[in-house]
Amino acid sequence: MEKTPDFDYTKVPSDYIHCFNHECPRAAQCLRHLAGQHIPKDIPIVRCVSPSAWPSDAGKCPYYCTTQKVTLAWGLKNLADDVPYQQAIAIRRAVRRLWPHTSYSRMMHYERPILPERQEEIERIFAHYAPGKHATYDYLTEEYDFWQ
């Protein structure tokens, strides 16, 4: 399998599980296999699926992760800028309750992305407190979903 030119291994979490099953019919669409193909030479040890755990039916592989990219949102500082003040306060409080303090802080400071599932929850909060308005994130990126 050839390396994917747009794959940035620095974004692979250090504890991410890799796969080296080159015979798997789903290998070309599996993020774990893709990560395994891009390990830099300066990283001698990674976590991986044991060959004894490779399922005989690849369609039922519990380790499979799609290579489909997702839209990640970053930053919560401008979240409710387009909403009247009183509604913005209620929205910020409701959003703040979605995460523990440390996680929320990391998202505020661009250390952790806001995953698609959480973006949907935030949109439901906006629909409740400010119908017709939408969340404004600091920026969006399209990336592989290492959190699936």
Side-chain angles (χ1 to χ4, degrees):
M1 179 180 197
E2 290 186 26
K3 290 191 174 190
T4 305
D6 72 335
F7 191 87
D8 181 2
Y9 193 85
T10 62
K11 294 185 178 187
V12 177
S14 60
D15 63 344
Y16 194 69
I17 299 172
H18 298 63
C19 183
F20 300 102
N21 185 357
H22 305 298
E23 303 299 317
C24 178
R26 296 172 73 188
Q29 297 85 34
C30 182
L31 189 55
R32 295 190 190 285
H33 192 265
L34 186 61
Q37 300 305 302
H38 288 82
I39 301 169
K41 292 181 180 183
D42 63 334
I43 298 178
I45 299 171
V46 295
R47 293 181 68 200
C48 68
V49 178
S50 169
S52 63
W54 293 345
S56 56
D57 181 0
K60 295 181 180 177
C61 181
Y63 307 103
Y64 174 79
C65 293
T66 180
T67 55
Q68 184 174 342
K69 291 185 177 185
V70 295
T71 300
L72 300 177
W74 296 85
L76 296 166
K77 294 176 184 170
N78 303 311
L79 186 69
D81 283 358
D82 297 333
V83 176
Y85 182 72
Q86 291 300 322
Q87 291 171 314
I89 289 172
I91 288 169
R92 289 186 183 281
R93 283 184 183 147
V95 168
R96 170 64 191 88
R97 287 190 297 265
L98 293 175
W99 296 282
H101 176 72
T102 305
S103 296
Y104 182 80
S105 179
R106 287 182 178 154
M107 288 178 208
M108 283 289 287
H109 297 98
Y110 315 112
E111 296 170 12
R112 182 178 289 172
I114 301 153
L115 301 176
E117 304 83 44
R118 290 295 193 180
Q119 293 173 42
E120 290 173 13
E121 289 179 52
I122 291 170
E123 284 302 320
R124 284 193 291 275
I125 291 169
F126 267 78
H128 177 74
Y129 289 103
K133 300 287 186 174
H134 299 282
T136 305
Y137 300 103
D138 297 356
Y139 64 96
L140 302 171
T141 58
E142 289 286 321
E143 299 186 32
Y144 292 108
D145 186 0
F146 292 107
W147 301 273
Q148 55 184 316

